[in-house]
């Protein structure tokens, strides 16, 4: 490991510390400005060509907005339709009526587990935010729960979505590890589900019971009003004056994006590669297309076919973007910071560092993915780097359980999601959290998931390997 590598790692660490200082100290800089300032500062300090720093910052912000931002915007529109038509209130009433206060975190974890199987983390969270806010707002009004009801119900959702996103195909992280390590989807999926269940339980309902009473988190009122029915009902701003939709129709609307993504998963498994059917399911299962189809289906099923006002629907969809505009820009800033860290080759310095370790392959894969993800803000970089580094070993060592290695890499990439991750900012801004509150939720939740995943990998490695 060279002196330049050490300097680069110290620069990355200093950048994160500077970012936190700009946001939480008396300076109180807006997160977007702070992220852009730190991105430029780290680029200069890391010795990047000064002519490429601004371009990398713009490219990182633009890429993140393209991948995540448009999907979040469509999710906000879908949430607005669901709230204004009374669907989220109907589903929330059904959940509250069938679950005790103590059982609600488990019910939310189960809902997120079902939705999260085909959905990326950010997409699943955006889809479930209206349900989280509606149930939490009703529970809050009962006054029977100490602390933040939003953290109590949001924590299990975050845990379930994160566990599936990092451990279970067809999510991109596990699939990338499987392809790079040249192993099979089936055993990796089985191992992933087995590991995800205890991770969801410990990082979700169990941790929620511990952390929620100690927090007073409450989302911004404008976002609450958008995603819940109470404000619209009292102010008369609902998009329709028709009766509430039936719960069956509402659940179908909520699950429409997930159904399309699941169809893509099935198509990848059973249809020949390059076939017309595989191309169609891949197109429909793309997060952007699936969310757009969800918005269109909700508009037709909940407004057009029920005689709702199309003018009010258009106005409501436009209004739905206002509360999330700041969130989208902050997420873009996080993407800019991530891109600078990648372009500065912080990942290479981490790889050089890990080459000095003498550890078992499963533990080494987890550690490399963790260090790369934490330092660069990209779970994908963590997975690609760790899997690529260990791929020769996976081929050369016939005794190595390669599906478990893929799972170890995916689990490690989840550890300590922080200020250089777009998901961190999505959770922080959606729930109206401070930096400290977001750290105690999403950062700790994903760390628990990652550690449980590692523990399960090491435990299952003691058992006979599944047939590939």
């Amino acid at each position: 490991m060279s002196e330049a590598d050490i300097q680069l790692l110290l620069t990355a660490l200093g950048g994160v510390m500077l970012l936190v200082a700009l946001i939480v100290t008396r300076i109180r800089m807006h997160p977007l400005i702070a992220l852009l300032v730190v991105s430029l500062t780290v680029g200069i300090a890391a010795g990047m060509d000064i002519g490429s720093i601004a371009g990398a910052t713009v490219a990182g912000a633009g890429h993140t907005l393209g991948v995540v931002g448009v999907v979040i915007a469509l999710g906000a529109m879908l949430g607005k339709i669901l709230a204004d038509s009374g669907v989220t209130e109907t589903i929330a009433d059904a959940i509250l009526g069938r679950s005790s206060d103590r059982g609600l975190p488990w019910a939310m974890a189960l809902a997120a587990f079902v939705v999260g199987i085909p959905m990326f983390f950010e997409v699943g969270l955006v889809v479930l935010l209206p349900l989280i806010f509606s149930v939490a707002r009703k529970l809050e009004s009962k006054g029977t729960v100490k602390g933040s009801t939003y953290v109590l119900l949001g924590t299990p959702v975050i845990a379930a979505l994160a566990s599936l996103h990092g451990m279970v195909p067809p999510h991109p992280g596990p699939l990338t590890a499987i392809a790079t390590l040249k192993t099979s989807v089936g055993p990796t999926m089985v191992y992933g589900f087995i590991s995800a269940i205890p991770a969801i339980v410990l990082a979700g309902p169990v941790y929620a019971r511990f952390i929620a009473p100690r927090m007073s988190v409450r989302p911004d009122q404008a976002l609450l009003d958008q995603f819940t029915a109470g404000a619209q009902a009292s102010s008369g701003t609902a998009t329709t004056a028709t009766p509430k939709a039936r719960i069956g129709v509402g659940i179908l609307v909520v699950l429409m994006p997930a159904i399309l993504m699941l169809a893509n998963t099935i198509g990848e498994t059973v249809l020949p590669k390059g076939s017309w059917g595989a191309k169609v399911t891949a197109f429909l299962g793309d997060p952007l297309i699936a969310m757009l189809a969800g918005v269109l289906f909700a508009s037709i099923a909940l407004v057009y076919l029920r005689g709702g006002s199309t003018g009010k629907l258009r106005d409501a969809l436009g209004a739905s973007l206002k509360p999330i505009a700041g969130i989208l820009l902050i997420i873009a800033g996080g993407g800019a910071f991530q891109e600078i860290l990648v372009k500065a080759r912080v990942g290479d310095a981490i790889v050089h560092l890990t080459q000095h370790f003498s550890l078992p392959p499963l533990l080494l894969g987890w550690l490399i993915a963790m260090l790369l993800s934490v330092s660069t803000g990209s779970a994908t970089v963590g997975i690609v780097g760790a899997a690529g580094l260990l791929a020769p070993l996976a081929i050369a060592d016939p005794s190595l359980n390669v599906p478990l290695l893929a799972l170890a890499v995916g689990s490690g990439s989840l550890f300590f999601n922080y200020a250089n991750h777009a998901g961190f900012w999505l959770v922080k801004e959606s729930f109206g959290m401070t930096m400290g509150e977001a750290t105690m939720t999403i950062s700790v939740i994903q760390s628990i998931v990652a550690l449980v995943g590692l523990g399960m990998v090491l435990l299952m490695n003691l058992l006979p390997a599944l047939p590939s």
Side-chain angles (χ1 to χ4, degrees):
M1 188 173 180
S2 66
E3 184 179 336
D5 290 333
I6 297 174
Q7 215 168 19
L8 199 53
L9 292 175
L10 291 176
T11 299
L13 178 61
V16 174
M17 294 174 65
L18 174 61
L19 176 64
V20 174
L22 290 175
I23 294 173
V24 305
T25 61
R26 290 185 179 181
I27 300 174
R28 297 289 180 188
M29 189 174 286
H30 188 277
L32 173 61
I33 303 299
L35 284 162
L36 294 177
V37 168
V38 170
S39 298
L40 299 175
T41 302
V42 168
I44 294 170
M48 288 178 62
D49 176 26
I50 197 166
S52 67
I53 294 175
T57 302
V58 172
H63 176 74
T64 301
L65 273 182
V67 173
V68 179
V70 178
V71 172
I72 293 174
L74 290 170
M77 291 181 173
L78 179 59
K80 180 69 171 173
I81 298 172
L82 294 172
D84 284 5
S85 61
V87 167
T88 47
E89 184 180 18
T90 301
I91 298 175
D93 287 338
I95 292 174
L96 285 166
R98 290 167 173 76
S99 303
S100 64
D101 289 355
R102 295 191 65 84
L104 281 174
W106 298 91
M108 296 303 296
L110 179 60
F113 183 86
V114 173
V115 170
I117 289 174
M119 281 195 171
F120 299 169
F121 176 85
E122 291 86 357
V123 181
L125 183 60
V126 169
V127 168
L128 288 169
L129 275 179
L131 185 59
I132 297 170
F133 288 176
S134 293
V135 178
R137 191 171 193 170
K138 288 177 177 291
L139 187 60
E140 181 185 46
S141 66
K142 291 169 64 176
T144 56
V145 175
K146 180 182 177 184
S148 172
T149 59
Y150 301 92
V151 172
L152 180 67
L153 301 183
T155 295
V157 170
I158 295 169
L161 294 175
S163 298
L164 293 169
H165 187 76
M167 298 181 183
V168 181
H171 291 278
L175 282 181
T176 301
I178 289 168
T180 305
L181 296 171
K182 295 180 171 56
T183 187
S184 303
V185 173
T188 309
M189 181 176 286
V190 173
Y191 284 134
F193 275 122
I194 293 173
S195 301
I197 291 172
I200 292 169
V201 169
L202 292 175
V206 173
Y207 183 62
R209 281 292 172 189
F210 169 78
I211 193 64
R214 294 165 172 79
M215 303 184 78
S216 57
V217 168
R218 196 172 194 273
D220 182 77
Q221 190 62 43
L223 207 58
L224 271 181
D225 291 345
Q226 172 167 314
F227 283 154
T228 59
Q232 286 91 347
S234 61
S235 62
T237 59
T239 58
T240 73
T242 55
K244 291 180 184 178
R246 293 179 180 178
I247 189 168
V249 175
I251 292 174
L252 180 59
V253 171
V254 172
L255 292 180
M256 178 57 67
I259 292 171
L260 293 175
M261 292 186 191
L262 185 59
N264 178 34
T265 301
I266 296 171
E268 288 179 336
T269 306
V270 303
L271 297 175
K273 272 190 176 180
S275 66
W276 182 83
K279 290 179 180 179
V280 171
T281 55
F283 172 76
L284 295 175
D286 183 90
L288 174 64
I289 304 301
M291 287 301 298
L292 177 60
V295 173
L296 294 174
F297 180 66
S299 300
I300 294 169
L302 300 178
V303 181
Y304 295 135
L305 294 182
R306 302 174 69 230
S309 169
T310 55
K312 286 183 178 180
L313 172 63
R314 183 184 60 189
D315 293 342
L317 294 182
S320 71
L321 299 177
K322 295 177 183 178
I324 66 163
I327 297 175
L328 293 179
L329 291 174
I330 291 170
I331 290 173
F337 187 29
Q338 173 187 318
E339 182 71 9
I340 288 292
L341 291 172
V342 172
K343 291 294 186 183
R345 307 188 75 84
V346 173
D348 290 349
I350 291 291
V351 170
H352 296 158
L353 173 65
T354 57
Q355 287 173 344
H356 295 278
F357 299 153
S358 180
L359 296 170
L362 297 178
L363 182 57
L364 185 62
W366 186 93
L367 183 64
I368 295 172
M370 180 272 287
L371 292 173
L372 286 171
S373 177
V374 170
S375 61
T376 64
S378 171
T380 302
V381 170
I383 289 171
V384 170
L389 192 64
L390 295 176
L393 181 61
I395 297 171
D397 186 356
S399 65
L400 181 61
N401 190 325
V402 184
L404 279 181
L405 179 59
L407 177 58
V409 168
S411 299
S413 71
L414 296 172
F415 189 85
F416 205 70
N417 183 306
Y418 196 53
N420 52 350
H421 287 72
F424 176 90
W425 294 103
L426 176 60
V427 172
K428 177 187 178 299
E429 297 301 318
S430 296
F431 285 85
M433 295 175 173
T434 64
M435 290 289 289
E437 289 168 340
T439 303
M440 290 302 295
T441 49
I442 183 171
S443 300
V444 173
I445 290 167
Q446 295 208 187
S447 297
I448 295 172
V449 170
L451 290 170
V452 172
L454 174 62
M456 292 299 295
V457 164
L458 298 178
L459 179 63
M460 290 187 290
N461 192 48
L462 301 176
L463 304 173
L466 293 174
S468 299

